[in-house]
Amino acid sequence: MITSKGYATQHSFTKLKPVSFEREEPGAHDVEIAVLFCGVCHSDIHQARNEWSNTVYPCVPGHEVVGRVTRTGASASKHAVGDIVGVGCMIDSCRQCEPCKNGEENYCECPNSWLATYNGPMVPAKQAPGQQNVYGRENTYGGYSDVLVVNEDFVLKIPAGLKPEVAAPILCAGVTTYSPMKHWGVKAGDKVGILGFGGLGHMAAKIAKAMGAEVTVFTRTKEKLYEAGKLGVQGVLETDKDALETLASSFDLILSTVPEKHDVNPFVALLKRDATLCVVGALEPLAGVNNQEVAFHRRSVAGSLIGSIAETQEILDFCAKHNIGPEIELIAIQDINDAYKKVIDGEVRFRYVIDMASLQKDTDFASF
Ligand SMILES: [Zn+2]
Ligand SMILES: [Zn+2]
């Protein structure tokens, strides 16, 4: 076993604290990664606090991980010691179902769905048919730690043109917004709306703009109109009814990145005929949709879940090619509880990334 250090919480109501725990040694197809940076995603907070009622404790969050390969298994050939690599939301899938065979592991249809980087299988054994666990692991520990061991097929290559700390949020926020833009065929000249202008939203705006789309972000925060201007996209206040009226029936695709329950109806009205509003931020029941607005213009309201491994590599390469990346603020791991509060309060501009070297400052690690 490998002794790993990191930050974990044991309950929904406690803060993250330094911990020491054991990980499996790399198997034949695994790579061992020394973690350099890890992004702080809003879902880390949902998960640490059991807000989706599926958290397995102890919880070591972190699924926007960039590090250096330190060891490879005997049969692992895709990555070499010293490579800078990334790990996103998934570390394995069943590999046998139709989505897996089609390279859409993020929609794995096996009884436990995909194996998440932290918190174990997406569908835990107790909720799976026959209470089975095809992965044999009830919990997994994420990137708020010094080392990670991952199957080589789920490890991404970080292009030389991307700084490792900037690449980290692309592994979740980037691919989560890129995947639906690719699926719904965003092209140059399209009008793309982005609802919510935080970690996911600002990444979505940058990617859509680099694709040549005309981008509008909708925000509740006046100060963020200025941030939109800095990115070279149009900013509109969600509460500005006049502005929304002038934008009626004009968008080819709208992505909602709002990470909680919200009303999509005012934005459905902004879609062109046959266009789609896709929700990527919230994983809970939304307020009711007025189907009159949907049916009268053959519009769609849809959802999309992260992205595949192939799409994750594509968006990393796309960001390097177009010289774009998230706006990040580096923090020490000791600041993580304060950072969670600021993410919830909307004070982060736009993504916190943990500099994992800071972990060396801690001396007292509880074990679990
Ligand atoms: Zn995430
Ligand atoms: Zn599968």
Side-chain angles (χ1 to χ4, degrees):
M1 298 296 262
I2 303 168
T3 301
S4 180
K5 293 189 171 90
Y7 266 58
T9 178
Q10 300 271 11
H11 309 280
S12 60
F13 50 86
T14 51
K15 289 184 171 177
L16 292 151
K17 290 176 190 150
V19 289
S20 168
F21 57 98
E22 296 203 316
R23 292 187 184 275
E24 296 282 338
E25 293 281 338
H29 294 279
D30 293 337
V31 297
E32 181 192 78
I33 301 161
V35 178
L36 298 171
F37 299 101
C38 186
V40 177
C41 177
H42 206 120
S43 47
D44 297 347
I45 304 172
H46 285 309
Q47 209 76 68
R49 299 182 175 184
N50 197 23
E51 287 166 357
W52 292 332
S53 306
N54 70 341
T55 304
V56 188
Y57 293 100
C59 175
V60 181
H63 61 202
E64 296 181 344
V65 192
V66 172
R68 182 178 284 110
V69 176
T70 44
R71 251 198 303 175
T72 58
S75 307
S77 56
K78 293 186 173 175
H79 309 281
V81 170
D83 285 0
I84 301 294
V85 295
V87 177
C89 302
M90 302 180 281
I91 55 169
D92 207 352
S93 71
C94 86
R95 325 251 186 146
Q96 288 159 11
C97 70
E98 201 188 321
C100 280
K101 283 184 178 159
N102 286 337
E104 295 186 303
E105 311 84 1
N106 49 320
Y107 298 110
C108 176
E109 290 172 353
C110 88
N112 303 100
S113 193
W114 38 274
L115 184 63
T117 304
Y118 66 89
N119 206 53
M122 279 303 276
V123 180
K126 61 182 176 193
Q127 288 170 19
Q131 307 222 318
Q132 57 190 307
N133 185 342
V134 302
Y135 300 107
R137 301 162 75 177
E138 298 217 335
N139 203 358
T140 49
Y141 305 122
Y144 293 10
S145 65
D146 55 356
V147 58
L148 216 58
V149 175
V150 180
N151 185 288
E152 61 172 348
D153 296 335
F154 284 75
V155 175
L156 289 310
K157 294 181 186 302
I158 304 299
L162 272 180
K163 283 187 183 174
E165 60 270 42
V166 170
I170 298 169
L171 293 155
C172 173
V175 72
T176 296
T177 53
Y178 169 71
S179 179
M181 285 193 247
K182 184 184 175 192
H183 182 78
W184 277 280
V186 170
K187 56 189 187 308
D190 279 1
K191 270 190 84 168
V192 174
I194 314 286
L195 179 51
F197 195 33
L200 256 65
H202 94 292
M203 206 55 233
K206 286 192 177 196
I207 294 168
K209 185 165 179 268
M211 287 174 160
E214 193 185 316
V215 182
T216 304
V217 296
F218 299 95
T219 175
R220 283 183 207 160
T221 319
K222 241 184 185 166
E223 300 82 72
K224 285 197 177 171
L225 297 177
Y226 168 72
E227 304 277 358
K230 279 209 296 193
L231 296 191
V233 301
Q234 192 191 359
V236 172
L237 274 180
E238 281 179 38
T239 47
D240 186 344
K241 289 209 168 106
D242 293 340
L244 294 192
E245 214 161 278
T246 61
L247 292 169
S249 301
S250 67
F251 286 91
D252 296 281
L253 178 71
I254 296 177
L255 285 186
S256 169
T257 68
V258 177
E260 62 217 353
K261 185 173 177 170
H262 59 288
D263 182 9
V264 296
N265 287 301
F267 303 95
V268 170
L270 307 189
L271 294 169
K272 283 181 185 169
R273 178 168 54 85
D274 285 335
T276 297
L277 182 150
C278 178
V279 177
V280 296
L283 280 180
E284 57 243 274
L286 298 178
V289 172
N290 175 4
N291 196 50
Q292 195 168 33
E293 280 291 339
V294 176
F296 267 47
H297 305 278
R298 201 166 52 194
R299 294 160 170 155
S300 300
V301 175
S304 176
L305 188 68
I306 57 168
S308 68
I309 292 296
E311 286 171 334
T312 311
Q313 191 63 61
E314 273 172 35
I315 189 58
L316 285 164
D317 296 343
F318 179 91
C319 288
K321 184 179 162 198
H322 291 270
N323 199 22
I324 56 169
E327 305 292 314
I328 63 159
E329 187 181 330
L330 277 183
I331 59 167
I333 186 80
Q334 291 80 11
D335 299 330
I336 189 65
N337 294 298
D338 186 42
Y340 276 13
K341 188 178 178 301
K342 287 182 177 163
V343 171
I344 290 165
D345 294 344
E347 287 174 32
V348 55
R349 295 284 183 277
F350 278 89
R351 199 65 149 185
Y352 289 126
V353 174
I354 305 163
D355 181 351
M356 211 50 70
S358 60
L359 194 57
Q360 289 170 8
K361 282 188 257 169
D362 283 310
T363 51
D364 196 11
F365 294 88
S367 54
F368 63 69

